[in-house]
Amino acid sequence: MNTIPHWINGAEVTSETTAPVFNPATGAEQAQVALGGGTEIDAAVQAASAAFETWQDSSLSQRVQVMFNFRQLLVEHEEELGRIISAEHGKTVDDARGEITRGREVVEYVCGLGDVLKGSFSDQVSRGIDVHNFRQPLGVVAGITPFNFPAMVPLWMHPVAIATGNTFILKPSERDPSAANFVAELYRRAGLPDGVFNVVHGGKDAVDAILTHPGIEAVSFVGSTPIARYVHEQATAHGKRVQALGGAKNHAVVLPDADLEFAANHITAGAYGSAGERCMAVSVAVAVGDAADALVAILERKANEVKVGPGDQPDVEMGPLVTKAAQERVENAVGAAAAQGATVVVDGRGLKIDGHEDGFFTGPSLLDHVTTDMDAYQQELFGPVLAVVRADSLDQAIELINANPYGNGTALFTASGEAARRFQRRIKVGMIGINVPVPVPMSYYSFGGWKDSLIGDSPIHGPEGVRFYTRPKVVTTRWPQPAQQVTAGFNFPTSS
């Protein structure tokens, strides 16, 4: 059976310890992945540290040229990478292509990094004195990324880090590890020097080694909120900068004046796309006033129309969940919701796909009359379950969302500009969509939520990403004429 190795200093490296990698559509083990720990992380840090000595002094033009080459290779190999992702994650190939495209947009953003990194210059701030500033890379940085976007989320990190002059260590999810190695090979072909990008597979041992290693300057993380808190606490305690993006419970509010067919169509896609395994998935529809009954009826019809099957089949809209445990957790949550009083309008439990009976499939589930004290509302289910909560007014819907501990993304469906403006100003959520169900910002903005969805204060990619992977210097200069005598004062210096 194939073993997926680490990628350290431009070479494949194995470990004695391995873990199985499954095909979610069949339930069969298809590979083993090497599991590293402190030894492998230290080897990667040593390689990245050595590479940083020359990479930090490379020209911006050289670094950007590598990114141009890398971007073109991502385009040329999109289909192949998409099928690799689908085979290990379970999402459809089309969905995988979509995540590659959104990740590639970050590469395109850093191809224009020259404008972003421009410093400023102030002439004659005092007599004969000028001031200017610029930014420099940190050194060796690391990313710990989740299973649900094995290409896109790492692409939110390492292109920004590498283009700004850092070297990078990626610890991807061991559930779908092959995309990381494929990207490493594309970097090699793009001309990236050995040691600048490294991949170490593993579990908690590898994570802890990253968080505590003195040679790593910064850590980026995307995953659940409890782990985000752990990463932030441990890494900051060891003197590192931290980006830590956590979980979500994203609401889509539907007002009576909205086009209900349009809203339901987009909410269905936002809830069940990628089997709901997205931190920006729509997991709660807040039906306001008279919209409720009609909206639920349309959502029921559309949920029953979703085509579920293996992700490599062209007509499939939703694939399996990533593991058997995830399938059981989601189906148990639907049963618990029914026991707590929710109405199960569409029940996706027990779905079997012909020829793939052992796959980790569950169908779309739609719950109505969900209340905020139910587990189906309070927990991030991370599966194809849409809960409908009813509200009397937009103000009540806003209060409901603001009371939720998460603040990642939210959406409003309406024909009213006044309602939209009131919503986007009053809502305590980091990313907002107006008639857009999954408001993931473009690469030249930054991605990050509020409250328990972002631990600390560092969003990812865009301008905030550039700031995270660099530190500023401010230089005050004086070039006196040879014959000029400048008197030095003992008082605190002032401008004059």
Side-chain angles (χ1 to χ4, degrees):
M1 182 171 288
N2 176 47
T3 298
I4 301 159
H6 314 291
W7 180 274
I8 300 173
N9 204 26
E12 295 182 346
V13 177
T14 59
S15 297
E16 291 185 5
T17 305
T18 61
V21 178
F22 293 93
N23 182 331
T26 64
E29 182 180 338
Q30 60 182 336
Q32 290 277 318
V33 60
L35 295 182
T39 300
E40 290 79 6
I41 292 298
D42 187 63
V45 171
Q46 299 308 316
S49 296
F52 178 69
E53 294 305 313
T54 53
W55 185 245
Q56 67 170 329
D57 290 330
S58 61
S59 69
L60 179 59
S61 296
Q62 177 186 350
R63 299 196 298 268
V64 167
Q65 185 57 58
V66 170
M67 287 300 160
F68 270 111
N69 298 342
F70 178 56
R71 184 260 177 203
Q72 183 58 35
L73 289 167
L74 284 172
V75 172
E76 294 173 2
H77 294 276
E78 180 180 286
E79 179 71 18
E80 185 178 359
L81 180 54
R83 291 191 176 277
I84 288 171
I85 293 168
S86 178
E88 291 184 350
H89 175 278
K91 67 176 63 178
T92 68
V93 175
D94 281 346
D95 193 21
R97 289 195 202 100
E99 76 159 278
I100 296 166
T101 298
R102 294 309 302 267
R104 191 176 69 232
E105 289 170 358
V106 176
V107 182
E108 293 165 355
Y109 172 73
V110 300
C111 284
L113 204 58
D115 186 65
V116 179
L117 283 179
K118 282 192 305 187
S120 60
F121 183 92
S122 297
D123 173 71
Q124 197 74 353
V125 298
S126 188
R127 283 176 292 181
I129 294 180
D130 307 323
V131 178
H132 70 277
N133 70 335
F134 60 97
R135 305 189 74 86
Q136 289 185 308
L138 304 177
V140 180
V141 299
I144 303 167
T145 57
F147 75 87
N148 58 326
F149 287 102
M152 184 184 75
V153 170
L155 282 166
W156 286 357
M157 301 173 183
H158 52 72
V160 184
I162 291 170
T164 51
N166 301 278
T167 53
F168 197 90
I169 300 168
L170 174 62
K171 205 301 288 183
S173 171
E174 62 274 24
R175 298 178 191 174
D176 44 10
S178 293
N181 287 40
F182 191 87
V183 166
E185 172 61 21
L186 294 187
Y187 265 133
R188 184 192 66 79
R189 293 173 55 185
L192 191 69
D194 292 345
V196 176
F197 180 74
N198 306 273
V199 179
V200 177
H201 302 290
K204 189 176 185 298
D205 288 346
V207 170
D208 286 341
I210 288 171
L211 302 182
T212 59
H213 198 293
I216 296 175
E217 301 291 334
V219 177
S220 301
F221 172 84
V222 175
S224 69
T225 293
I227 305 302
R229 291 190 188 281
Y230 176 80
V231 167
H232 190 271
E233 290 169 1
Q234 292 296 312
T236 54
H238 287 84
K240 307 182 194 311
R241 289 189 180 184
V242 184
Q243 288 174 323
L245 281 69
K249 197 69 178 179
N250 304 315
H251 301 69
V253 179
V254 182
L255 297 186
D257 66 359
D259 181 330
L260 296 186
E261 189 76 20
F262 174 90
N265 193 47
H266 285 275
I267 290 171
T268 298
Y272 304 130
S274 198
E277 292 173 322
R278 296 171 176 164
C279 68
M280 290 293 282
V282 177
S283 55
V284 180
V286 184
V288 177
D290 295 340
D293 289 340
L295 177 66
V296 170
I298 302 171
L299 289 171
E300 178 182 9
R301 169 168 53 84
K302 293 186 178 296
N304 284 317
E305 291 172 351
V306 175
K307 298 176 182 177
V308 183
D312 59 356
Q313 293 185 3
D315 61 337
V316 167
E317 296 171 314
M318 191 184 99
L321 291 167
V322 68
T323 62
K324 182 70 174 176
Q327 177 196 38
E328 292 173 350
R329 174 178 49 77
V330 169
E331 295 197 346
N332 289 339
V334 174
Q340 291 177 345
T343 302
V344 181
V345 180
V346 178
D347 192 342
R349 293 174 294 178
L351 177 67
K352 296 295 181 183
I353 303 297
D354 291 342
H356 295 77
E357 287 79 7
D358 293 328
F360 310 140
F361 292 96
T362 188
S365 290
L366 176 63
L367 309 175
D368 193 10
H369 300 104
V370 174
T371 58
T372 58
D373 59 343
M374 294 181 181
D375 292 343
Y377 178 81
Q378 295 184 354
Q379 298 175 2
E380 184 184 23
L381 301 182
F382 226 62
V385 180
L386 176 62
V388 178
V389 176
R390 299 181 179 227
D392 295 331
S393 66
L394 174 59
D395 289 341
Q396 186 182 38
I398 291 171
E399 290 174 4
L400 181 148
I401 296 170
N402 287 348
N404 193 277
Y406 294 108
N408 210 42
T410 189
L412 174 69
F413 289 87
T414 183
S416 167
E418 183 281 325
R421 189 172 188 275
R422 184 175 7 141
F423 181 81
Q424 66 193 31
R425 286 182 57 81
R426 289 182 53 195
I427 207 72
K428 296 178 181 177
V429 173
M431 293 170 285
I432 301 163
I434 303 300
N435 297 314
V436 174
V438 184
V440 178
M442 297 298 290
S443 61
Y444 38 85
Y445 288 86
S446 296
F447 180 104
W450 287 15
K451 299 184 285 188
D452 284 355
S453 295
L454 178 68
I455 310 304
D457 59 355
S458 295
I460 203 166
H461 72 59
E464 295 289 345
V466 172
R467 283 191 282 270
F468 178 77
Y469 290 120
T470 58
R471 55 169 60 98
K473 279 184 176 177
V474 181
V475 182
T476 304
T477 60
R478 171 190 283 141
W479 296 101
Q481 297 177 10
Q484 181 182 4
Q485 295 296 319
V486 179
T487 301
F490 286 85
N491 295 326
F492 192 83
T494 59
S495 299
S496 61

